[in-house]
PDB file of all heavy atoms in Angstrom:
ATOM      1  N   GLU A 105      33.071  54.277  -8.224  1.00 91.00           N
ATOM      2  CA  GLU A 105      33.039  55.306  -9.261  1.00 91.00           C
ATOM      3  C   GLU A 105      32.350  56.581  -8.798  1.00 91.00           C
ATOM      4  O   GLU A 105      32.636  57.666  -9.303  1.00 91.00           O
ATOM      5  CB  GLU A 105      32.337  54.773 -10.515  1.00 91.00           C
ATOM      6  CG  GLU A 105      33.137  53.783 -11.323  1.00 91.00           C
ATOM      7  CD  GLU A 105      33.065  52.374 -10.766  1.00 91.00           C
ATOM      8  OE1 GLU A 105      32.369  52.182  -9.732  1.00 91.00           O
ATOM      9  OE2 GLU A 105      33.706  51.468 -11.335  1.00 91.00           O
ATOM     10  N   GLY A 106      31.450  56.462  -7.828  1.00 92.00           N
ATOM     11  CA  GLY A 106      30.743  57.641  -7.342  1.00 92.00           C
ATOM     12  C   GLY A 106      31.669  58.636  -6.687  1.00 92.00           C
ATOM     13  O   GLY A 106      31.684  59.827  -7.030  1.00 92.00           O
ATOM     14  N   ALA A 107      32.477  58.179  -5.744  1.00 93.00           N
ATOM     15  CA  ALA A 107      33.406  59.068  -5.051  1.00 93.00           C
ATOM     16  C   ALA A 107      34.445  59.625  -6.019  1.00 93.00           C
ATOM     17  O   ALA A 107      34.861  60.784  -5.908  1.00 93.00           O
ATOM     18  CB  ALA A 107      34.090  58.316  -3.906  1.00 93.00           C
ATOM     19  N   ALA A 108      34.852  58.811  -6.994  1.00 92.00           N
ATOM     20  CA  ALA A 108      35.842  59.264  -7.969  1.00 92.00           C
ATOM     21  C   ALA A 108      35.300  60.408  -8.810  1.00 92.00           C
ATOM     22  O   ALA A 108      36.011  61.373  -9.111  1.00 92.00           O
ATOM     23  CB  ALA A 108      36.265  58.099  -8.864  1.00 92.00           C
ATOM     24  N   LEU A 109      34.030  60.322  -9.215  1.00 92.00           N
ATOM     25  CA  LEU A 109      33.431  61.397 -10.006  1.00 92.00           C
ATOM     26  C   LEU A 109      33.338  62.678  -9.189  1.00 92.00           C
ATOM     27  O   LEU A 109      33.689  63.760  -9.673  1.00 92.00           O
ATOM     28  CB  LEU A 109      32.043  60.984 -10.506  1.00 92.00           C
ATOM     29  CG  LEU A 109      31.354  61.963 -11.453  1.00 92.00           C
ATOM     30  CD1 LEU A 109      30.453  61.220 -12.440  1.00 92.00           C
ATOM     31  CD2 LEU A 109      30.518  63.011 -10.701  1.00 92.00           C
ATOM     32  N   ILE A 110      32.870  62.567  -7.961  1.00 94.00           N
ATOM     33  CA  ILE A 110      32.741  63.755  -7.106  1.00 94.00           C
ATOM     34  C   ILE A 110      34.102  64.416  -6.905  1.00 94.00           C
ATOM     35  O   ILE A 110      34.230  65.646  -6.963  1.00 94.00           O
ATOM     36  CB  ILE A 110      32.108  63.364  -5.758  1.00 94.00           C
ATOM     37  CG1 ILE A 110      30.660  62.907  -5.969  1.00 94.00           C
ATOM     38  CG2 ILE A 110      32.158  64.541  -4.777  1.00 94.00           C
ATOM     39  CD1 ILE A 110      30.018  62.305  -4.743  1.00 94.00           C
ATOM     40  N   GLU A 111      35.114  63.616  -6.684  1.00 93.00           N
ATOM     41  CA  GLU A 111      36.462  64.151  -6.492  1.00 93.00           C
ATOM     42  C   GLU A 111      36.995  64.805  -7.769  1.00 93.00           C
ATOM     43  O   GLU A 111      37.635  65.862  -7.723  1.00 93.00           O
ATOM     44  CB  GLU A 111      37.409  63.040  -6.047  1.00 93.00           C
ATOM     45  CG  GLU A 111      38.837  63.519  -5.798  1.00 93.00           C
ATOM     46  CD  GLU A 111      39.770  62.403  -5.377  1.00 93.00           C
ATOM     47  OE1 GLU A 111      39.299  61.256  -5.242  1.00 93.00           O
ATOM     48  OE2 GLU A 111      40.974  62.681  -5.187  1.00 93.00           O
ATOM     49  N   ALA A 112      36.726  64.181  -8.915  1.00 92.00           N
ATOM     50  CA  ALA A 112      37.205  64.732 -10.184  1.00 92.00           C
ATOM     51  C   ALA A 112      36.582  66.094 -10.460  1.00 92.00           C
ATOM     52  O   ALA A 112      37.265  67.035 -10.877  1.00 92.00           O
ATOM     53  CB  ALA A 112      36.893  63.761 -11.324  1.00 92.00           C
ATOM     54  N   VAL A 113      35.291  66.215 -10.233  1.00 93.00           N
ATOM     55  CA  VAL A 113      34.613  67.496 -10.441  1.00 93.00           C
ATOM     56  C   VAL A 113      35.179  68.558  -9.499  1.00 93.00           C
ATOM     57  O   VAL A 113      35.479  69.688  -9.914  1.00 93.00           O
ATOM     58  CB  VAL A 113      33.094  67.344 -10.220  1.00 93.00           C
ATOM     59  CG1 VAL A 113      32.412  68.713 -10.225  1.00 93.00           C
ATOM     60  CG2 VAL A 113      32.481  66.452 -11.288  1.00 93.00           C
ATOM     61  N   ALA A 114      35.354  68.195  -8.239  1.00 93.00           N
ATOM     62  CA  ALA A 114      35.874  69.149  -7.258  1.00 93.00           C
ATOM     63  C   ALA A 114      37.289  69.608  -7.623  1.00 93.00           C
ATOM     64  O   ALA A 114      37.631  70.781  -7.456  1.00 93.00           O
ATOM     65  CB  ALA A 114      35.857  68.531  -5.862  1.00 93.00           C
ATOM     66  N   THR A 115      38.098  68.698  -8.122  1.00 93.00           N
ATOM     67  CA  THR A 115      39.470  69.044  -8.492  1.00 93.00           C
ATOM     68  C   THR A 115      39.496  70.050  -9.635  1.00 93.00           C
ATOM     69  O   THR A 115      40.225  71.054  -9.603  1.00 93.00           O
ATOM     70  CB  THR A 115      40.258  67.785  -8.889  1.00 93.00           C
ATOM     71  OG1 THR A 115      40.266  66.868  -7.787  1.00 93.00           O
ATOM     72  CG2 THR A 115      41.688  68.131  -9.252  1.00 93.00           C
ATOM     73  N   VAL A 116      38.682  69.807 -10.656  1.00 92.00           N
ATOM     74  CA  VAL A 116      38.616  70.714 -11.800  1.00 92.00           C
ATOM     75  C   VAL A 116      38.141  72.103 -11.364  1.00 92.00           C
ATOM     76  O   VAL A 116      38.770  73.123 -11.676  1.00 92.00           O
ATOM     77  CB  VAL A 116      37.671  70.153 -12.881  1.00 92.00           C
ATOM     78  CG1 VAL A 116      37.453  71.189 -13.988  1.00 92.00           C
ATOM     79  CG2 VAL A 116      38.227  68.871 -13.470  1.00 92.00           C
ATOM     80  N   LEU A 117      37.034  72.149 -10.640  1.00 94.00           N
ATOM     81  CA  LEU A 117      36.440  73.439 -10.297  1.00 94.00           C
ATOM     82  C   LEU A 117      37.267  74.185  -9.252  1.00 94.00           C
ATOM     83  O   LEU A 117      37.343  75.420  -9.280  1.00 94.00           O
ATOM     84  CB  LEU A 117      35.007  73.231  -9.820  1.00 94.00           C
ATOM     85  CG  LEU A 117      34.069  72.623 -10.876  1.00 94.00           C
ATOM     86  CD1 LEU A 117      32.635  72.577 -10.359  1.00 94.00           C
ATOM     87  CD2 LEU A 117      34.126  73.394 -12.183  1.00 94.00           C
ATOM     88  N   THR A 118      37.901  73.476  -8.335  1.00 94.00           N
ATOM     89  CA  THR A 118      38.771  74.130  -7.355  1.00 94.00           C
ATOM     90  C   THR A 118      39.952  74.786  -8.053  1.00 94.00           C
ATOM     91  O   THR A 118      40.369  75.896  -7.702  1.00 94.00           O
ATOM     92  CB  THR A 118      39.268  73.113  -6.315  1.00 94.00           C
ATOM     93  OG1 THR A 118      38.150  72.580  -5.598  1.00 94.00           O
ATOM     94  CG2 THR A 118      40.219  73.779  -5.325  1.00 94.00           C
ATOM     95  N   ALA A 119      40.502  74.118  -9.066  1.00 93.00           N
ATOM     96  CA  ALA A 119      41.632  74.671  -9.812  1.00 93.00           C
ATOM     97  C   ALA A 119      41.231  75.941 -10.543  1.00 93.00           C
ATOM     98  O   ALA A 119      41.958  76.941 -10.538  1.00 93.00           O
ATOM     99  CB  ALA A 119      42.173  73.632 -10.789  1.00 93.00           C
ATOM    100  N   PHE A 120      40.066  75.933 -11.183  1.00 91.00           N
ATOM    101  CA  PHE A 120      39.598  77.135 -11.863  1.00 91.00           C
ATOM    102  C   PHE A 120      39.371  78.277 -10.875  1.00 91.00           C
ATOM    103  O   PHE A 120      39.758  79.422 -11.110  1.00 91.00           O
ATOM    104  CB  PHE A 120      38.294  76.844 -12.610  1.00 91.00           C
ATOM    105  CG  PHE A 120      38.495  76.358 -14.011  1.00 91.00           C
ATOM    106  CD1 PHE A 120      38.211  75.048 -14.345  1.00 91.00           C
ATOM    107  CD2 PHE A 120      38.976  77.202 -14.996  1.00 91.00           C
ATOM    108  CE1 PHE A 120      38.396  74.588 -15.637  1.00 91.00           C
ATOM    109  CE2 PHE A 120      39.168  76.755 -16.294  1.00 91.00           C
ATOM    110  CZ  PHE A 120      38.873  75.450 -16.620  1.00 91.00           C
ATOM    111  N   ASP A 121      38.714  77.974  -9.757  1.00 91.00           N
ATOM    112  CA  ASP A 121      38.388  79.004  -8.775  1.00 91.00           C
ATOM    113  C   ASP A 121      39.642  79.602  -8.156  1.00 91.00           C
ATOM    114  O   ASP A 121      39.668  80.791  -7.801  1.00 91.00           O
ATOM    115  CB  ASP A 121      37.489  78.396  -7.692  1.00 91.00           C
ATOM    116  CG  ASP A 121      36.957  79.428  -6.706  1.00 91.00           C
ATOM    117  OD1 ASP A 121      36.557  80.520  -7.151  1.00 91.00           O
ATOM    118  OD2 ASP A 121      36.958  79.138  -5.501  1.00 91.00           O
ATOM    119  N   ALA A 122      40.688  78.801  -8.015  1.00 91.00           N
ATOM    120  CA  ALA A 122      41.932  79.292  -7.426  1.00 91.00           C
ATOM    121  C   ALA A 122      42.614  80.311  -8.332  1.00 91.00           C
ATOM    122  O   ALA A 122      43.248  81.260  -7.865  1.00 91.00           O
ATOM    123  CB  ALA A 122      42.878  78.126  -7.137  1.00 91.00           C
ATOM    124  N   VAL A 123      42.499  80.101  -9.641  1.00 89.00           N
ATOM    125  CA  VAL A 123      43.147  81.003 -10.586  1.00 89.00           C
ATOM    126  C   VAL A 123      42.307  82.254 -10.835  1.00 89.00           C
ATOM    127  O   VAL A 123      42.820  83.377 -10.862  1.00 89.00           O
ATOM    128  CB  VAL A 123      43.411  80.273 -11.923  1.00 89.00           C
ATOM    129  CG1 VAL A 123      43.945  81.241 -12.986  1.00 89.00           C
ATOM    130  CG2 VAL A 123      44.406  79.141 -11.708  1.00 89.00           C
ATOM    131  N   GLN A 124      41.016  82.066 -11.006  1.00 88.00           N
ATOM    132  CA  GLN A 124      40.102  83.183 -11.231  1.00 88.00           C
ATOM    133  C   GLN A 124      38.834  82.922 -10.437  1.00 88.00           C
ATOM    134  O   GLN A 124      37.975  82.167 -10.877  1.00 88.00           O
ATOM    135  CB  GLN A 124      39.786  83.333 -12.715  1.00 88.00           C
ATOM    136  CG  GLN A 124      38.882  84.505 -13.031  1.00 88.00           C
ATOM    137  CD  GLN A 124      38.654  84.666 -14.527  1.00 88.00           C
ATOM    138  OE1 GLN A 124      39.433  84.183 -15.330  1.00 88.00           O
ATOM    139  NE2 GLN A 124      37.580  85.343 -14.883  1.00 88.00           N
ATOM    140  N   PRO A 125      38.696  83.524  -9.246  1.00 88.00           N
ATOM    141  CA  PRO A 125      37.540  83.242  -8.382  1.00 88.00           C
ATOM    142  C   PRO A 125      36.217  83.401  -9.118  1.00 88.00           C
ATOM    143  O   PRO A 125      36.020  84.354  -9.875  1.00 88.00           O
ATOM    144  CB  PRO A 125      37.686  84.276  -7.256  1.00 88.00           C
ATOM    145  CG  PRO A 125      39.150  84.554  -7.208  1.00 88.00           C
ATOM    146  CD  PRO A 125      39.620  84.497  -8.634  1.00 88.00           C
ATOM    147  N   PHE A 126      35.330  82.455  -8.889  1.00 88.00           N
ATOM    148  CA  PHE A 126      34.032  82.484  -9.535  1.00 88.00           C
ATOM    149  C   PHE A 126      33.211  83.684  -9.072  1.00 88.00           C
ATOM    150  O   PHE A 126      33.258  84.069  -7.897  1.00 88.00           O
ATOM    151  CB  PHE A 126      33.251  81.204  -9.229  1.00 88.00           C
ATOM    152  CG  PHE A 126      33.883  79.949  -9.775  1.00 88.00           C
ATOM    153  CD1 PHE A 126      33.794  78.755  -9.075  1.00 88.00           C
ATOM    154  CD2 PHE A 126      34.562  79.962 -10.982  1.00 88.00           C
ATOM    155  CE1 PHE A 126      34.357  77.593  -9.576  1.00 88.00           C
ATOM    156  CE2 PHE A 126      35.140  78.809 -11.491  1.00 88.00           C
ATOM    157  CZ  PHE A 126      35.039  77.617 -10.792  1.00 88.00           C
ATOM    158  N   ALA A 127      32.429  84.230  -9.969  1.00 83.00           N
ATOM    159  CA  ALA A 127      31.521  85.322  -9.635  1.00 83.00           C
ATOM    160  C   ALA A 127      30.396  84.787  -8.748  1.00 83.00           C
ATOM    161  O   ALA A 127      30.073  83.598  -8.779  1.00 83.00           O
ATOM    162  CB  ALA A 127      30.941  85.923 -10.909  1.00 83.00           C
ATOM    163  N   PRO A 128      29.780  85.657  -7.941  1.00 81.00           N
ATOM    164  CA  PRO A 128      28.695  85.207  -7.052  1.00 81.00           C
ATOM    165  C   PRO A 128      27.574  84.465  -7.772  1.00 81.00           C
ATOM    166  O   PRO A 128      27.063  83.471  -7.261  1.00 81.00           O
ATOM    167  CB  PRO A 128      28.196  86.517  -6.433  1.00 81.00           C
ATOM    168  CG  PRO A 128      29.389  87.413  -6.441  1.00 81.00           C
ATOM    169  CD  PRO A 128      30.114  87.076  -7.713  1.00 81.00           C
ATOM    170  N   VAL A 129      27.185  84.942  -8.962  1.00 80.00           N
ATOM    171  CA  VAL A 129      26.097  84.279  -9.678  1.00 80.00           C
ATOM    172  C   VAL A 129      26.484  82.857 -10.044  1.00 80.00           C
ATOM    173  O   VAL A 129      25.672  81.926  -9.925  1.00 80.00           O
ATOM    174  CB  VAL A 129      25.720  85.079 -10.944  1.00 80.00           C
ATOM    175  CG1 VAL A 129      24.767  84.268 -11.817  1.00 80.00           C
ATOM    176  CG2 VAL A 129      25.070  86.404 -10.565  1.00 80.00           C
ATOM    177  N   LEU A 130      27.718  82.646 -10.482  1.00 86.00           N
ATOM    178  CA  LEU A 130      28.181  81.298 -10.817  1.00 86.00           C
ATOM    179  C   LEU A 130      28.255  80.437  -9.564  1.00 86.00           C
ATOM    180  O   LEU A 130      27.908  79.249  -9.586  1.00 86.00           O
ATOM    181  CB  LEU A 130      29.545  81.354 -11.513  1.00 86.00           C
ATOM    182  CG  LEU A 130      30.175  79.999 -11.875  1.00 86.00           C
ATOM    183  CD1 LEU A 130      29.213  79.132 -12.688  1.00 86.00           C
ATOM    184  CD2 LEU A 130      31.480  80.207 -12.639  1.00 86.00           C
ATOM    185  N   ARG A 131      28.718  81.008  -8.458  1.00 86.00           N
ATOM    186  CA  ARG A 131      28.766  80.250  -7.202  1.00 86.00           C
ATOM    187  C   ARG A 131      27.369  79.776  -6.805  1.00 86.00           C
ATOM    188  O   ARG A 131      27.181  78.651  -6.334  1.00 86.00           O
ATOM    189  CB  ARG A 131      29.380  81.101  -6.092  1.00 86.00           C
ATOM    190  CG  ARG A 131      30.881  81.303  -6.254  1.00 86.00           C
ATOM    191  CD  ARG A 131      31.454  82.200  -5.158  1.00 86.00           C
ATOM    192  NE  ARG A 131      32.874  82.415  -5.385  1.00 86.00           N
ATOM    193  CZ  ARG A 131      33.840  81.654  -4.903  1.00 86.00           C
ATOM    194  NH1 ARG A 131      33.531  80.623  -4.130  1.00 86.00           N
ATOM    195  NH2 ARG A 131      35.108  81.904  -5.168  1.00 86.00           N
ATOM    196  N   LEU A 132      26.381  80.643  -7.004  1.00 82.00           N
ATOM    197  CA  LEU A 132      25.012  80.250  -6.693  1.00 82.00           C
ATOM    198  C   LEU A 132      24.547  79.118  -7.600  1.00 82.00           C
ATOM    199  O   LEU A 132      23.887  78.184  -7.152  1.00 82.00           O
ATOM    200  CB  LEU A 132      24.073  81.453  -6.844  1.00 82.00           C
ATOM    201  CG  LEU A 132      23.906  82.358  -5.632  1.00 82.00           C
ATOM    202  CD1 LEU A 132      22.953  83.500  -5.968  1.00 82.00           C
ATOM    203  CD2 LEU A 132      23.398  81.586  -4.425  1.00 82.00           C
ATOM    204  N   ASP A 133      24.883  79.195  -8.885  1.00 85.00           N
ATOM    205  CA  ASP A 133      24.502  78.124  -9.805  1.00 85.00           C
ATOM    206  C   ASP A 133      25.136  76.798  -9.387  1.00 85.00           C
ATOM    207  O   ASP A 133      24.489  75.742  -9.413  1.00 85.00           O
ATOM    208  CB  ASP A 133      24.923  78.479 -11.229  1.00 85.00           C
ATOM    209  CG  ASP A 133      23.935  79.399 -11.925  1.00 85.00           C
ATOM    210  OD1 ASP A 133      22.776  79.468 -11.469  1.00 85.00           O
ATOM    211  OD2 ASP A 133      24.314  80.044 -12.920  1.00 85.00           O
ATOM    212  N   LEU A 134      26.412  76.855  -9.011  1.00 89.00           N
ATOM    213  CA  LEU A 134      27.095  75.637  -8.581  1.00 89.00           C
ATOM    214  C   LEU A 134      26.510  75.111  -7.272  1.00 89.00           C
ATOM    215  O   LEU A 134      26.340  73.897  -7.090  1.00 89.00           O
ATOM    216  CB  LEU A 134      28.593  75.900  -8.432  1.00 89.00           C
ATOM    217  CG  LEU A 134      29.345  76.205  -9.730  1.00 89.00           C
ATOM    218  CD1 LEU A 134      30.788  76.624  -9.427  1.00 89.00           C
ATOM    219  CD2 LEU A 134      29.334  75.004 -10.669  1.00 89.00           C
ATOM    220  N   ALA A 135      26.198  76.025  -6.350  1.00 85.00           N
ATOM    221  CA  ALA A 135      25.575  75.607  -5.087  1.00 85.00           C
ATOM    222  C   ALA A 135      24.236  74.934  -5.347  1.00 85.00           C
ATOM    223  O   ALA A 135      23.896  73.918  -4.727  1.00 85.00           O
ATOM    224  CB  ALA A 135      25.391  76.816  -4.173  1.00 85.00           C
ATOM    225  N   ARG A 136      23.480  75.494  -6.291  1.00 85.00           N
ATOM    226  CA  ARG A 136      22.176  74.923  -6.616  1.00 85.00           C
ATOM    227  C   ARG A 136      22.323  73.511  -7.153  1.00 85.00           C
ATOM    228  O   ARG A 136      21.620  72.591  -6.715  1.00 85.00           O
ATOM    229  CB  ARG A 136      21.473  75.797  -7.657  1.00 85.00           C
ATOM    230  CG  ARG A 136      20.158  75.200  -8.180  1.00 85.00           C
ATOM    231  CD  ARG A 136      19.613  76.007  -9.338  1.00 85.00           C
ATOM    232  NE  ARG A 136      20.569  76.099 -10.440  1.00 85.00           N
ATOM    233  CZ  ARG A 136      20.768  75.128 -11.333  1.00 85.00           C
ATOM    234  NH1 ARG A 136      20.082  73.988 -11.240  1.00 85.00           N
ATOM    235  NH2 ARG A 136      21.641  75.281 -12.313  1.00 85.00           N
ATOM    236  N   LEU A 137      23.238  73.309  -8.100  1.00 87.00           N
ATOM    237  CA  LEU A 137      23.323  71.980  -8.700  1.00 87.00           C
ATOM    238  C   LEU A 137      23.850  70.942  -7.711  1.00 87.00           C
ATOM    239  O   LEU A 137      23.466  69.773  -7.755  1.00 87.00           O
ATOM    240  CB  LEU A 137      24.136  72.007  -9.995  1.00 87.00           C
ATOM    241  CG  LEU A 137      25.623  72.343  -9.995  1.00 87.00           C
ATOM    242  CD1 LEU A 137      26.452  71.089  -9.732  1.00 87.00           C
ATOM    243  CD2 LEU A 137      26.016  72.938 -11.345  1.00 87.00           C
ATOM    244  N   TYR A 138      24.730  71.361  -6.786  1.00 88.00           N
ATOM    245  CA  TYR A 138      25.182  70.431  -5.745  1.00 88.00           C
ATOM    246  C   TYR A 138      24.029  70.096  -4.797  1.00 88.00           C
ATOM    247  O   TYR A 138      23.844  68.931  -4.413  1.00 88.00           O
ATOM    248  CB  TYR A 138      26.351  71.021  -4.958  1.00 88.00           C
ATOM    249  CG  TYR A 138      27.709  70.624  -5.497  1.00 88.00           C
ATOM    250  CD1 TYR A 138      28.316  71.346  -6.512  1.00 88.00           C
ATOM    251  CD2 TYR A 138      28.381  69.510  -4.997  1.00 88.00           C
ATOM    252  CE1 TYR A 138      29.559  70.980  -7.022  1.00 88.00           C
ATOM    253  CE2 TYR A 138      29.624  69.131  -5.494  1.00 88.00           C
ATOM    254  CZ  TYR A 138      30.203  69.866  -6.508  1.00 88.00           C
ATOM    255  OH  TYR A 138      31.430  69.492  -7.012  1.00 88.00           O
ATOM    256  N   ALA A 139      23.264  71.123  -4.408  1.00 84.00           N
ATOM    257  CA  ALA A 139      22.161  70.888  -3.480  1.00 84.00           C
ATOM    258  C   ALA A 139      21.101  69.997  -4.103  1.00 84.00           C
ATOM    259  O   ALA A 139      20.580  69.080  -3.457  1.00 84.00           O
ATOM    260  CB  ALA A 139      21.549  72.224  -3.052  1.00 84.00           C
ATOM    261  N   VAL A 140      20.763  70.246  -5.371  1.00 85.00           N
ATOM    262  CA  VAL A 140      19.769  69.430  -6.051  1.00 85.00           C
ATOM    263  C   VAL A 140      20.240  67.976  -6.144  1.00 85.00           C
ATOM    264  O   VAL A 140      19.436  67.041  -6.099  1.00 85.00           O
ATOM    265  CB  VAL A 140      19.480  70.001  -7.461  1.00 85.00           C
ATOM    266  CG1 VAL A 140      18.663  69.029  -8.287  1.00 85.00           C
ATOM    267  CG2 VAL A 140      18.739  71.336  -7.330  1.00 85.00           C
ATOM    268  N   ALA A 141      21.558  67.794  -6.248  1.00 87.00           N
ATOM    269  CA  ALA A 141      22.111  66.439  -6.298  1.00 87.00           C
ATOM    270  C   ALA A 141      22.200  65.796  -4.912  1.00 87.00           C
ATOM    271  O   ALA A 141      22.617  64.640  -4.801  1.00 87.00           O
ATOM    272  CB  ALA A 141      23.493  66.466  -6.946  1.00 87.00           C
ATOM    273  N   GLY A 142      21.834  66.536  -3.877  1.00 86.00           N
ATOM    274  CA  GLY A 142      21.885  65.974  -2.531  1.00 86.00           C
ATOM    275  C   GLY A 142      23.259  65.993  -1.907  1.00 86.00           C
ATOM    276  O   GLY A 142      23.533  65.242  -0.968  1.00 86.00           O
ATOM    277  N   LEU A 143      24.137  66.872  -2.405  1.00 87.00           N
ATOM    278  CA  LEU A 143      25.503  66.975  -1.896  1.00 87.00           C
ATOM    279  C   LEU A 143      25.743  68.362  -1.318  1.00 87.00           C
ATOM    280  O   LEU A 143      25.235  69.361  -1.840  1.00 87.00           O
ATOM    281  CB  LEU A 143      26.512  66.721  -3.021  1.00 87.00           C
ATOM    282  CG  LEU A 143      26.491  65.338  -3.655  1.00 87.00           C
ATOM    283  CD1 LEU A 143      27.372  65.323  -4.901  1.00 87.00           C
ATOM    284  CD2 LEU A 143      26.957  64.275  -2.662  1.00 87.00           C
ATOM    285  N   GLU A 144      26.531  68.432  -0.257  1.00 83.00           N
ATOM    286  CA  GLU A 144      26.850  69.732   0.309  1.00 83.00           C
ATOM    287  C   GLU A 144      27.805  70.472  -0.622  1.00 83.00           C
ATOM    288  O   GLU A 144      28.820  69.919  -1.069  1.00 83.00           O
ATOM    289  CB  GLU A 144      27.477  69.569   1.702  1.00 83.00           C
ATOM    290  CG  GLU A 144      26.496  68.992   2.705  1.00 83.00           C
ATOM    291  CD  GLU A 144      26.917  69.249   4.140  1.00 83.00           C
ATOM    292  OE1 GLU A 144      27.687  70.201   4.369  1.00 83.00           O
ATOM    293  OE2 GLU A 144      26.467  68.500   5.017  1.00 83.00           O
ATOM    294  N   PRO A 145      27.501  71.732  -0.928  1.00 83.00           N
ATOM    295  CA  PRO A 145      28.342  72.498  -1.859  1.00 83.00           C
ATOM    296  C   PRO A 145      29.750  72.700  -1.308  1.00 83.00           C
ATOM    297  O   PRO A 145      29.929  73.028  -0.141  1.00 83.00           O
ATOM    298  CB  PRO A 145      27.596  73.840  -1.976  1.00 83.00           C
ATOM    299  CG  PRO A 145      26.183  73.514  -1.611  1.00 83.00           C
ATOM    300  CD  PRO A 145      26.290  72.465  -0.540  1.00 83.00           C
TER     301      PRO A 145
END
């Protein structure tokens, strides 16, 4: 279930970013939450 969750989140956010690229501030927020979780952004 761990890998499935990580993949599901990446799929959702990649789709959004492809249609409307995230602003730098949002990218930083996402990078922070991935780093805090111990995952490479």
Side-chain angles (χ1 to χ4, degrees):
E105 286 82 0
L109 185 149
I110 294 171
E111 181 181 358
V113 171
T115 301
V116 172
L117 298 186
T118 298
F120 271 110
D121 187 42
V123 174
Q124 182 177 339
F126 296 145
V129 170
L130 178 53
R131 288 178 183 270
L132 273 179
D133 278 341
L134 293 173
R136 174 188 58 80
L137 65 86
Y138 267 86
V140 169
L143 297 170
E144 294 199 23

